[in-house]
Amino acid sequence: MSEPITLNLNGIWKLRDFVPGQGLAAGAQLPDHDDTSWRPASVPGDVHTALVEIKRLSPPFYNMNVETCQWVERQEWWYRTTFESPVAKDDTVTRYLLRFDGLDTFATVYLNGVEIGSHQNMFTAATFDVTEQLRRGERNTLAVRFDPVTATIGDRPWIDDEWMLGNPVRVWVRKAQCNFGWDWGPQLISVGIWQGVTLRRYRGARLTSVFFRTLELTPQVARVAVQIEAERWNDLPDLAAHVRLERDGQSVVGIAPLATERGEIELEAPEPTLWWTHDLGEPALYDLTVELRAGGELLDTHRERVGIRTITVDQSPDPEEPGTKFFTFVLNGVKIFAKGANWIPVDSFVSQVDKCRYRELLELAVAANMNMLRVWGGGIYEKDAFYRLCDELGVLVWQDFMFACAPYPDHDPGFMAEVEREAVAIVRRLRNHPCIALWCGNNENDWIADQVHWRQPGYRFPGWRINHELLPSIVERMDGTRLYWPSSPYGGNDHNDEREGNRHNWQVWHGLVFPRRFGQCPERRFTPEGVSFRHYAEDMARFVSEFGMHAAPVLETLRRNIPAPGLRLGGPELLYRNKDNPKDKGDCLMASCIGLPTTLEQYVDFSMIAQAEGLKLGIEHYRRRKFHCSGTLFWQLNDCWPGLSWSVLDYYLFPKAGYFYVKRAYAPILASFKKEEEEVDGVSLWITNDTLEEFSDTVTVFHGDFSSRKLYEEMLEVRVPANASLKVKHFPFDELGIEDPRREYLAVCSQSSRFYSNRHFFVEVKDLVRPKPDLKVEIAAGSDGKYEVRVATDVYAYFVKLVAPIEGARFSDNYFDLFPGQERVIEVWNEAGRRLEENDIAVGCL
């Protein structure tokens, strides 16, 4: 007996479509079927991308081409390939298992003309025993039929409820819900073999599950457990799992007998190196190897990287704010403030997302000081590469199950059985990742159901059983090391209560009226005042897992996707990129902050400013409340297509202004101003310290006007405890001596450059009266293909921006303010390998 033989079946397959039901009639599954006219298609891949490559489909993201793609989802699609099976000495204990890591979605699989099984879940792997059908040492024909999603769902009954975001058929199919259209993405119902395909040969037994968990931590030793499950189809003596955990040349080993095909072993790792988020320490990983052996022979091997760490969520009462509870993640005994964003699918066609794309996005998140991402429940459970990179980079993951903004048919036994299989498979797949911080049952289902049925507090909506009965029992049985949270948002008197649990603050942008309690009719106010981001300063939430505002992408992204005649403010081609309704919702936000644009160029800048200033204000407010508020995950980090959305990184990963504002607001040390109204009217200076050491510094606070006069200056010695937020000084308005609030500002700087400088305006940006800056710009080539851009100003310069419309262009900082007489040096380089030229870089300000 020996370790399994694995045959990789990825590569170029053949693809063809049929009228639904006609593929079998044509014999598309048969080995002798004539497929010479079929077209090439990559596996992993998807039908839309394959059709674009052969020029049968126009690129979906250009102009309004999405509308020309809808026929694809109505066809029946077939993939075919041939392969030589491994030549090996087989006997009665040999098994061949064919595995598809991802089939999207209603798939039937044929081997050598014989149907070997079907699958109906995009999120889980499909494994088929093909021992009987495989032709050893000969050419085999493998075919996969994909039935159209909407037609397959057919006449299944409408879920008896009054609410649904998007196409109602989506709730019946276990597939990315955003494929059916969302308020930031188009309807593009993908189809295809979206992850890898392998054929594996086993003899006698195989590993089916390995579960690693931390039991106890001390500085001297970590006690961990490894639980192993195996499948055996032969009488094997002494079946056992040989376990090895190692790091930096040090290893601990043990053997777990598997007489009942299940076993567990405890190991002690001396002087353990713990896994931390990147901002608190090293995300240390250990190599875990499990070998399945019997009678001295190796049967199967499992390898992965794991982290030694503990994570809990403190929900105890907050004694300083009576009637409230904490919602604080505790990593290795240390309370953390979660700083991050919501993550949606990286592409409408998720098969196209590779490890490099994941790494680029995640490194941008880390560079912006994020330590947590929420994998949102209307997308996908991401590919393994995503979670491995989060482990490696030290980024926690709030993991939703894939249910969002809809009632689900929990009355249907078949649907519930599929959901149970999915949940078991997903928890088993992801539970060993140290990055996974929490399991969450759904996105907004509980909250929306209560708003719709507000006259019936406690209403058990369709799908309630999934999130409150089925999933928690599976998480407890299959994991038990992390909190299961029923929904996001959830907790308190109203599922969006500010006093406990987590909140989605959609008062800003969507105009919801807070606070609301069970039994109260929901209200909305679509006015500039009703949607203003100034409401963030009123929010006393414990943990905010959604909040945000729209902004346009950079002009280059629009130019790539909208024909020149349509590239204008208010044009239908531009509005098509905005999937939120009403289309002018952003006008209310801009009107209250910066004013309304009159040109496309102004719209790009003004929408970015409104988003950036709003995120800045919200994050600074929530961080000042540390740990009364213990986290902010804004909506959203990324885009799935080149649209107008809440993202701070557009589809091509061009950062919007909001990205850099967030990067500064999420810095480990934050100095921020708070407008005070409860005591003497004025402004207070706060220092928020997320490090695990006391912070001390000399800071300069100055009051100036935009033309360069300095009206007041003071040096402060500040000392802030580790992991704390502290008000260090209050500045009453009557002592500041403000002459004209439209022409003046307050600023703070660190003498040791320990934090980003910050400022406070006394009026909205649109009401500021500023002289036009005379920017002095020098660009010099530096080392390693980098450029140093030196920018100086005579008077206050607002919203200084550097533009390099080339994918992969990176800036050490951007979209910043310069104080009068200040000079800054910004590094510019390209991550994509293209050398930048000096004339690629432009500098300007508002």
Side-chain angles (χ1 to χ4, degrees):
M1 297 183 188
S2 60
E3 192 171 4
I5 297 172
T6 300
L7 180 64
N8 186 331
L9 299 180
N10 296 342
I12 302 300
W13 291 37
K14 292 187 174 184
L15 177 72
R16 188 191 159 175
D17 63 311
F18 293 88
V19 172
Q22 294 303 304
L24 278 178
Q29 80 281 16
L30 300 175
D32 59 358
H33 177 77
D34 183 4
D35 60 9
T36 54
S37 64
W38 290 38
R39 305 306 300 271
S42 295
V43 171
D46 63 84
V47 168
H48 289 80
T49 303
L51 295 178
V52 171
E53 289 175 352
I54 63 173
K55 296 183 169 37
R56 189 178 166 192
L57 195 69
S58 298
F61 296 158
Y62 185 74
N63 201 15
M64 299 182 184
N65 286 352
V66 167
E67 303 306 316
T68 71
C69 297
Q70 304 305 313
W71 67 271
V72 175
E73 66 198 50
R74 296 190 288 269
Q75 291 291 89
E76 174 182 294
W77 292 94
W78 285 74
Y79 282 77
R80 279 172 59 99
T81 193
T82 59
F83 64 92
E84 297 282 349
S85 73
V87 177
K89 185 177 181 181
D90 295 339
D91 53 29
T92 57
V93 301
T94 301
R95 280 192 184 177
Y96 288 88
L97 298 184
L98 176 65
R99 177 184 169 100
F100 294 85
D101 289 330
L103 293 168
D104 182 12
T105 293
F106 291 114
T108 306
V109 182
Y110 303 85
L111 182 61
N112 298 320
V114 177
E115 180 180 329
I116 60 172
S118 61
H119 197 66
Q120 56 181 5
N121 194 317
M122 176 187 184
F123 302 132
T124 59
T127 301
F128 306 99
D129 186 337
V130 296
T131 307
E132 297 301 320
Q133 292 79 23
L134 191 69
R135 297 173 181 172
R136 273 56 153 204
E138 299 179 24
R139 182 156 293 277
N140 292 262
T141 300
L142 179 60
V144 183
R145 183 187 85 227
F146 289 98
D147 294 319
V149 168
T150 303
T152 302
I153 293 170
D155 297 326
R156 297 194 192 186
W158 167 257
I159 307 302
D160 185 18
D161 211 289
E162 303 171 20
W163 53 283
M164 173 80 65
L165 177 61
N167 190 327
V169 304
R170 69 179 175 87
V171 302
W172 285 100
V173 57
R174 298 310 299 145
K175 159 179 188 58
Q177 300 288 270
C178 60
N179 276 183
F180 298 85
W182 218 263
D183 54 9
W184 37 258
Q187 175 170 311
L188 285 166
I189 301 178
S190 57
V191 56
I193 305 173
W194 74 284
Q195 296 206 71
V197 188
T198 53
L199 177 68
R200 301 195 77 189
R201 175 184 181 271
Y202 297 91
R203 298 195 70 240
R206 69 183 183 112
L207 292 166
T208 57
S209 174
V210 173
F211 179 24
F212 175 90
R213 65 190 190 280
T214 303
L215 301 176
E216 185 180 7
L217 289 180
T218 70
Q220 293 76 34
V221 67
R223 191 163 60 89
V224 302
V226 183
Q227 182 186 97
I228 305 100
E229 295 179 22
E231 178 189 13
R232 171 172 53 187
W233 53 90
N234 189 36
D235 184 17
L236 297 170
D238 305 321
L239 187 67
H242 294 242
V243 180
R244 182 170 67 255
L245 184 68
E246 57 187 331
R247 175 179 166 82
D248 294 337
Q250 303 295 316
S251 64
V252 289
V253 298
I255 299 176
L258 300 177
T260 62
E261 301 182 14
R262 181 187 177 104
E264 181 168 306
I265 186 171
E266 292 188 9
L267 301 173
E268 291 190 348
E271 299 180 347
T273 306
L274 304 185
W275 187 91
W276 293 95
T277 52
H278 67 90
D279 53 331
L280 295 181
E282 178 189 3
L285 295 172
Y286 285 73
D287 294 310
L288 174 67
T289 304
V290 178
E291 294 180 341
L292 182 65
R293 292 181 174 271
E297 297 292 332
L298 177 63
L299 304 177
D300 199 1
T301 303
H302 174 92
R303 296 182 180 89
E304 69 178 312
R305 305 185 80 194
V306 296
I308 297 176
R309 64 103 180 96
T310 61
I311 192 158
T312 59
V313 180
D314 177 9
Q315 297 184 74
S316 63
D318 182 347
E320 295 182 11
E321 296 187 356
T324 70
K325 294 181 179 180
F326 292 111
F327 196 90
T328 306
F329 285 89
V330 182
L331 178 63
N332 300 327
V334 175
K335 294 192 298 182
I336 65 171
F337 189 98
K339 299 179 291 191
N342 282 259
W343 175 285
I344 67 167
V346 178
D347 200 296
S348 292
F349 306 111
V350 291
S351 69
Q352 301 306 304
V353 184
D354 59 15
K355 184 178 179 179
C356 291
R357 186 72 165 178
Y358 278 132
R359 180 176 286 280
E360 193 172 8
L361 257 169
L362 288 170
E363 287 182 345
L364 281 164
V366 169
N369 300 302
M370 298 183 196
N371 60 16
M372 181 180 284
L373 295 170
R374 174 184 173 225
V375 176
W376 168 76
I380 62 171
Y381 308 99
E382 290 293 342
K383 299 176 187 177
D384 290 339
F386 169 84
Y387 299 99
R388 289 171 182 154
L389 285 167
C390 287
D391 292 342
E392 173 191 324
L393 296 171
V395 177
L396 288 168
V397 173
W398 171 306
Q399 179 65 56
D400 281 6
F401 286 94
M402 295 299 119
F403 303 91
C405 301
Y408 287 86
D410 58 3
H411 65 280
D412 185 273
F415 182 85
M416 290 295 282
E418 186 63 49
V419 169
E420 181 173 7
R421 285 190 291 270
E422 172 189 319
V424 168
I426 293 303
V427 174
R428 179 175 283 148
R429 177 165 80 91
L430 300 184
R431 63 189 175 182
N432 287 350
H433 290 282
C435 67
I436 301 292
L438 173 147
W439 302 103
C440 181
N442 69 67
N443 175 73
E444 297 188 343
N445 291 357
D446 290 67
W447 177 44
I448 296 175
D450 179 69
Q451 291 181 86
V452 172
H453 298 276
W454 61 271
R455 294 181 179 88
Q456 301 170 262
Y459 169 72
R460 294 195 174 187
F461 56 90
W464 186 94
R465 289 179 52 226
I466 296 172
N467 308 117
H468 294 271
E469 294 178 353
L470 179 62
L471 294 180
S473 66
I474 290 172
V475 168
E476 179 60 31
R477 183 175 83 248
M478 302 295 298
D479 185 352
T481 68
R482 302 168 175 88
L483 175 67
Y484 172 82
W485 195 242
S487 184
S488 182
Y490 191 79
N493 184 356
D494 174 29
H495 295 306
N496 214 2
D497 197 341
E498 75 278 10
R499 296 170 299 184
E500 61 179 280
N502 71 305
R503 163 173 276 192
H504 291 186
N505 187 331
W506 289 117
Q507 181 175 21
V508 179
W509 185 263
H510 287 309
L512 298 176
V513 176
F514 293 154
R516 175 188 169 270
R517 301 292 177 246
F518 289 137
Q520 293 182 351
C521 180
E523 297 180 59
R524 289 179 185 256
R525 292 179 187 156
F526 283 120
T527 65
E529 294 75 22
V531 305
S532 170
F533 58 68
R534 295 292 167 190
H535 288 297
Y536 288 142
E538 305 160 2
D539 190 2
M540 307 301 281
R542 323 309 296 173
F543 191 105
V544 190
S545 50
E546 282 191 21
F547 67 106
M549 295 135 289
H550 260 213
V554 298
L555 199 56
E556 172 67 14
T557 292
L558 298 177
R559 286 175 176 148
R560 292 184 186 187
N561 293 281
I562 299 176
L567 202 60
R568 57 187 175 83
L569 185 63
E573 296 89 347
L574 180 68
L575 293 178
Y576 187 79
R577 310 250 136 219
N578 179 6
K579 298 304 178 184
D580 193 25
N581 286 301
K583 302 295 186 185
D584 62 352
K585 198 181 291 183
D587 289 355
C588 284
L589 197 71
M590 289 187 289
S592 64
C593 169
I594 182 66
L596 293 178
T598 58
T599 66
L600 180 61
E601 290 75 13
Q602 275 192 344
Y603 169 66
V604 170
D605 282 344
F606 285 18
S607 64
M608 281 195 188
I609 287 170
Q611 181 193 56
E613 293 287 353
L615 289 173
K616 175 182 184 294
L617 184 144
I619 291 170
E620 289 179 352
H621 163 72
Y622 295 127
R623 286 191 66 189
R624 284 193 295 266
R625 286 180 42 73
K626 180 181 183 170
F627 285 102
H628 305 302
C629 176
S630 296
T632 56
L633 307 177
F634 66 84
W635 187 267
Q636 64 206 61
L637 178 67
N638 59 302
D639 267 329
C640 68
W641 81 307
L644 309 180
S645 81
W646 293 263
S647 75
V648 297
L649 296 169
D650 75 18
Y651 177 73
Y652 302 107
L653 304 192
F654 288 123
K656 302 177 186 179
Y659 172 83
F660 291 98
Y661 275 56
V662 163
K663 176 181 178 179
R664 295 188 286 267
Y666 275 159
I669 307 295
L670 169 69
S672 66
F673 292 104
K674 177 186 178 184
K675 183 179 179 181
E676 301 279 10
E677 295 176 353
E678 295 180 0
E679 48 183 289
V680 178
D681 281 357
V683 178
S684 59
L685 173 64
W686 289 67
I687 304 291
T688 303
N689 177 14
D690 282 352
T691 75
L692 301 184
E693 298 179 352
E694 181 185 73
F695 170 75
S696 61
D697 194 12
T698 301
V699 304
T700 302
V701 180
F702 59 92
H703 171 206
D705 69 15
F706 295 122
S707 65
S708 76
R709 280 196 309 155
K710 193 167 286 187
L711 306 174
Y712 164 87
E713 183 175 68
E714 181 177 0
M715 309 279 278
L716 299 175
E717 298 296 327
V718 299
R719 200 174 288 271
V720 182
N723 214 11
S725 187
L726 187 68
K727 180 164 74 172
V728 297
K729 180 147 186 180
H730 179 73
F731 301 92
F733 283 142
D734 57 3
E735 293 183 15
L736 285 174
I738 299 171
E739 299 173 5
D740 185 344
R742 302 172 304 158
R743 302 174 185 274
E744 300 170 24
Y745 66 99
L746 196 62
V748 59
C749 300
S750 166
Q751 291 294 301
S752 57
S753 301
R754 295 283 303 279
F755 57 77
Y756 287 103
S757 299
N758 207 346
R759 44 72 175 167
H760 173 80
F761 297 145
F762 300 107
V763 297
E764 297 291 352
V765 175
K766 65 184 174 67
D767 298 320
L768 298 177
V769 178
R770 299 177 291 112
K772 183 176 179 59
D774 179 18
L775 291 184
K776 303 297 184 184
V777 179
E778 296 179 5
I779 301 177
S783 58
D784 302 324
K786 293 184 176 181
Y787 282 89
E788 289 187 349
V789 181
R790 190 176 301 273
V791 188
T793 183
D794 54 342
V795 297
Y796 194 106
Y798 176 72
F799 203 66
V800 178
K801 62 177 182 178
L802 285 71
V803 178
I806 299 165
E807 283 180 70
R810 295 290 178 263
F811 307 87
S812 59
D813 201 5
N814 207 346
Y815 299 100
F816 51 86
D817 293 3
L818 282 176
F819 302 136
Q822 185 182 13
E823 179 182 88
R824 289 198 58 187
V825 178
I826 306 299
E827 284 193 323
V828 185
W829 68 99
N830 189 273
E831 289 283 2
R834 173 182 164 178
R835 180 177 177 85
L836 290 174
E837 302 297 335
E838 182 176 332
N839 58 9
D840 291 330
I841 305 167
V843 182
C845 68
L846 195 69

